[in-house]
Amino acid sequence: MPIRSATSRFRFNPHWLGLLPFALFTVLFLVLPTMKIVVGAFQTPEGSFTLNNIRGLNTPSILSSYWVSIQLSLVTATLGCLVGFMMAAAVILGGLPRWVRSPLMTFSGVASNFAGVPLAFAFLATLGPVGLVTLWLRQEFGINLRAMGFNLLSFWGLVIVYLFFQIPLMILIIAPAIEGLKREWREAAAILGATGAQYWRMVALPILFPSLLGTFALLFANSFGAIATAFALTGPQLNIVPIKLFAQIRGDVLGDPHLGYALAFGMIVITGIANGLYIWLRVRSERWLK
Amino acid sequence: MAFLEIEHLEKSFGTNRVVKDFNLSVAKGEFISLLGPSGCGKTTVLRMVAGFESPSTGAIRIDGKDVVKLRPNQRNIGMVFQAYALFPNLTVAQNVAFGLKVAGVGRAEREARVVEMLRLIGLPDKGPSYPFQLSGGQQQRVALARALAVRPQVLLLDEPLSALDAKIRVSLRAEIRQIQRELGITTIFVTHDQEEALSMSDRVVVMNGGVAEQVAEPFEIYNRPATRFVANFVGQLNRIEARVIAPTTGEIEIGGTRHMLGRSLPSGDVALALRPEALHMGADPARELNLTGQVTEVDFLGSVIRLRVDVAGNRLSADVFNRPDAPPPALNSTVTLSASASDLIILTA
């Protein structure tokens, strides 16, 4: 009987080389920075161990910034999921003309990546204090958005701006999942006596739940880590974690990089908890999947 | 009296008429198959009965009640789909109980019915399993149990066996028929597989181009096809071009040889058809048709040997039983085949 040598079993497969750029990229720009953040959060500027940076997070201003960030992320993820899901469902299942779909998906692809200064400028130019829409509404219909309490440079103003990329992102991700709902499931439910609402409650939504959950987690993280749009729109005045973090690490005299590491570490913990929750719920809801 | 009546049913998609003046009466407890090639309209008829498509015109009555205006969930119809359509997020027991749950049936009764149905389909222990944990045949049996659990008035089967492998298909069709007989449920079965239709049905509707070409019992369909399409579509067929010499006595000429059939025929040239199994090896004076030709092909199929014989330009297939004491004729040898005039089908329409 031939004996295979140990070396033949571990023969190098050159196809692994294809993964090298990705692996390098991940190590250099994800793993190493994360490690540096985690280590830096527990170090003094001199390099010795300390918990002072973590304790430094326990100030009203920083705790408030975390709370505002979490609220902003929850609101924009929830609204993004709801509106995006309804739009995707309307286009795919709602009997809308097929020609609507292609432009919507193309627009979603563009809009989901439209963020930062251009997005902030676009919204200031339309819904800002002297924006086109603001003035048009005031002049044509006598509607004064500011007098009605709307301010683009506020929490809800930021929510509206964030939804500009959150909704399209939801559409892009959830559309394939909605397409995966088989027509036969709806018909089988109907022929068994179920109403449309019963079909959605008992079949469609449970099937879509893992995808909805995953997209919600992604939208939450997308919003939680966003800084460019918020900073471009409001400057340093909005109290959210990414702006606080930016203030600590940008290198001016007031900055404290190690507090910045602690802030970033806090963000990693929160997104980690969110992802852990997502994985736990997903495993529970996917028992029926292969 | 008919339990399910379909009258003058028509369906058009835009300018395309896919079902044309379709009529059918189904007795209570009858098993009817809609048989035809792809695009013949059989599935559209089924979907109109289910309520998934609205007829352009026509009536569908179940137990005397017009159901055309009713939604699918108001018709009390059970349906089994080609691709099972089990809800993947529900266990087998939950799938079977689905219709009962939405109908508001109490938990105890639901559970009892699920047990009854799973026993009926021979899967009493599979209640806690998810669909992905079952084989295709098991999934289709669960789909059948789910459809039957609500005690529907009519059961619709939309090519339920076509996604299964050949062996499972044969065993499952016997099971479906047995369960259908046991419950006495009126059933419409859509298939493009003639063997399935002929073996399972009380009657078969052969459809072509949106029209029911023939509605009859399987024996009738196979042996006395009403139209040229039915004769060609159902089973194998030999086509013989002949010239009628004497229409009243049935004297014909095939390739210069005259034969006396002893039955009346239309005058002129006719197309005659014969099933391969109606041709017998060897000359037989008791049979009206004796045809001599050259063997061009011999296919050994196990219990049957299929010969191809060229008779005056007509290429005939003859199925003869394999007998160890009578080896098949050699290629290019000359043989005589005989057939009875009563087995001849005259292709008209």
Side-chain angles (χ1 to χ4, degrees):
Chain A
M1 187 175 163
I3 299 168
R4 291 173 66 193
S5 68
T7 49
S8 71
R9 274 189 287 132
F10 295 105
R11 189 179 296 161
F12 174 71
N13 183 345
H15 289 102
W16 285 102
L17 283 175
L19 285 179
L20 195 61
F22 174 72
L24 267 176
F25 197 82
T26 308
V27 169
L28 288 176
F29 300 107
L30 182 69
V31 177
L32 289 180
T34 305
M35 283 170 67
K36 184 166 171 58
I37 284 169
V38 173
V39 172
F42 294 95
Q43 273 183 335
T44 61
E46 293 73 33
S48 55
F49 178 78
T50 180
L51 287 173
N52 282 344
N53 299 325
I54 302 297
R55 284 196 199 101
L57 298 179
N58 192 20
T59 63
S61 166
I62 289 177
L63 289 178
S64 161
S65 71
Y66 274 111
W67 179 229
V68 172
S69 281
I70 289 171
Q71 280 179 309
L72 185 67
S73 304
L74 282 176
V75 169
T76 59
T78 306
L79 290 176
C81 276
L82 273 175
V83 179
F85 177 76
M86 285 192 289
M87 287 175 71
V91 168
I92 295 164
L93 305 173
L96 293 183
R98 284 193 71 81
W99 59 262
V100 175
R101 190 168 168 194
S102 181
L104 179 75
M105 298 309 280
T106 308
F107 172 77
S108 297
V110 174
S112 62
N113 288 295
F114 190 57
V117 177
L119 180 64
F121 174 76
F123 267 85
L124 280 170
T126 50
L127 281 171
V130 287
L132 285 171
V133 176
T134 311
L135 294 179
W136 179 69
L137 286 173
R138 194 188 303 160
Q139 285 162 6
E140 296 296 322
F141 303 102
I143 299 170
N144 187 338
L145 290 178
R146 210 165 172 80
M148 291 168 73
F150 176 77
N151 178 10
L152 190 64
L153 312 179
S154 66
F155 177 86
W156 286 104
L158 201 60
V159 166
I160 289 173
V161 177
Y162 273 28
L163 285 177
F164 188 82
F165 55 79
Q166 294 281 67
I167 291 170
L169 187 60
M170 175 68 180
I171 292 172
L172 281 182
I173 296 172
I174 206 66
I178 293 175
E179 272 184 320
L181 290 174
K182 292 182 184 165
R183 187 184 72 173
E184 288 91 342
W185 291 335
R186 184 163 42 83
E187 292 182 344
I191 205 90
L192 288 164
T195 59
Q198 283 170 322
Y199 160 70
W200 275 99
R201 183 167 56 80
M202 296 166 78
V203 181
L205 282 177
I207 288 172
L208 289 176
F209 189 64
S211 303
L212 288 170
L213 210 58
T215 317
F216 183 85
L218 185 70
L219 262 59
F220 181 90
N222 196 33
S223 175
F224 197 73
I227 175 169
T229 307
F231 194 78
L233 196 68
T234 66
Q237 61 184 324
L238 190 75
N239 191 24
I240 58 173
V241 182
I243 288 179
K244 274 254 175 321
L245 173 59
F246 182 60
Q248 302 305 320
I249 62 171
R250 67 182 161 182
D252 65 23
V253 288
L254 299 172
D256 177 355
H258 285 270
L259 181 62
Y261 291 147
L263 278 163
F265 177 69
M267 291 178 77
I268 291 171
V269 169
I270 288 169
T271 48
I273 290 170
N275 279 315
L277 197 66
Y278 156 64
I279 290 165
W280 180 67
L281 284 168
R282 182 163 187 143
V283 168
R284 272 176 61 86
S285 65
E286 276 186 348
R287 280 171 303 183
W288 48 273
L289 280 178
K290 248 183 197 176
Chain B
M1 187 192 159
F3 182 70
L4 168 65
E5 283 176 285
I6 301 173
E7 284 180 1
H8 306 298
L9 201 66
E10 302 243 350
K11 179 68 187 176
S12 300
F13 294 105
T15 54
N16 186 20
R17 273 174 80 206
V18 291
V19 177
K20 300 163 193 165
D21 197 23
F22 184 88
N23 295 279
L24 182 67
S25 291
V26 186
K28 193 167 175 63
E30 197 176 10
F31 192 113
I32 292 266
S33 287
L34 304 186
L35 173 68
S38 297
C40 72
K42 57 189 189 297
T43 298
T44 308
V45 169
L46 195 83
R47 290 177 64 77
M48 285 193 278
V49 175
F52 298 135
E53 301 286 354
S54 301
S56 302
T57 58
I60 301 169
R61 280 188 290 277
I62 299 175
D63 202 13
K65 185 181 172 189
D66 190 351
V67 297
V68 165
K69 294 275 188 291
L70 298 182
R71 290 197 294 271
N73 61 354
Q74 298 170 322
R75 295 190 183 199
N76 192 20
I77 284 175
M79 186 159 172
V80 177
F81 298 81
Q82 184 178 346
Y84 325 134
L86 292 178
F87 306 131
N89 58 315
L90 303 181
T91 63
V92 165
Q94 288 167 333
N95 263 284
V96 175
F98 185 90
L100 302 168
K101 194 172 178 183
V102 297
V105 174
R107 189 183 180 138
E109 193 183 336
R110 265 195 340 245
E111 286 174 357
R113 195 86 64 84
V114 167
V115 170
E116 181 195 339
M117 285 298 129
L118 292 183
R119 196 173 295 141
L120 184 74
I121 58 161
L123 298 172
D125 306 323
K126 292 292 182 187
S129 304
Y130 281 93
F132 79 86
Q133 294 168 313
L134 307 180
S135 67
Q138 287 173 328
Q139 287 190 56
Q140 202 53 298
R141 280 191 276 171
V142 173
L144 180 65
R146 182 179 67 175
L148 293 171
V150 292
R151 298 201 172 129
Q153 300 185 90
V154 176
L155 178 65
L156 307 177
L157 306 169
D158 185 9
E159 308 214 27
L161 306 175
S162 56
L164 304 172
D165 63 55
K167 204 171 171 183
I168 304 284
R169 214 156 53 212
V170 172
S171 67
L172 196 53
R173 75 184 183 208
E175 274 183 56
I176 289 174
R177 185 62 166 131
Q178 189 198 330
I179 290 169
Q180 185 270 337
R181 279 205 180 104
E182 205 174 313
L183 300 178
I185 186 166
T186 311
T187 303
I188 300 183
F189 177 74
V190 160
T191 182
H192 61 266
D193 184 323
Q194 49 178 287
E195 196 180 305
E196 272 172 24
L198 297 176
S199 66
M200 294 174 77
S201 319
D202 293 317
R203 283 188 301 152
V204 177
V205 181
V206 182
M207 291 186 68
N208 179 37
V211 173
E213 296 248 348
Q214 188 174 8
V215 184
E217 290 177 11
F219 185 85
E220 254 328 273
I221 294 277
Y222 189 81
N223 293 303
R224 283 184 275 280
T227 66
R228 191 179 287 243
F229 172 81
V230 176
N232 280 314
F233 187 73
V234 180
Q236 287 256 336
L237 205 65
N238 290 306
R239 201 183 143 111
I240 306 168
E241 300 300 334
R243 192 162 62 85
V244 179
I245 308 293
T248 47
T249 57
E251 191 180 2
I252 59 168
E253 187 184 284
I254 300 170
T257 310
R258 292 195 175 193
H259 306 267
M260 184 65 79
L261 300 183
R263 56 183 278 195
S264 63
L265 293 170
S267 55
D269 291 340
V270 289
L272 304 173
L274 263 174
R275 299 287 182 200
E277 64 272 20
L279 284 163
H280 303 267
M281 274 292 288
D284 184 350
R287 294 196 176 96
E288 292 84 351
L289 208 58
N290 283 273
L291 304 164
T292 301
Q294 196 176 30
V295 177
T296 57
E297 236 176 284
V298 179
D299 291 338
F300 184 75
L301 305 174
S303 62
V304 169
I305 296 167
R306 175 158 292 174
L307 306 174
R308 302 233 200 277
V309 180
D310 189 326
V311 177
N314 293 291
R315 208 152 172 262
L316 306 184
S317 290
D319 286 351
V320 294
F321 281 116
N322 172 28
R323 282 171 42 202
D325 58 334
L331 268 179
N332 300 319
S333 62
T334 301
V335 294
T336 299
L337 301 169
S338 59
S340 299
S342 58
D343 291 333
L344 275 171
I345 301 161
I346 298 158
L347 300 176
T348 49

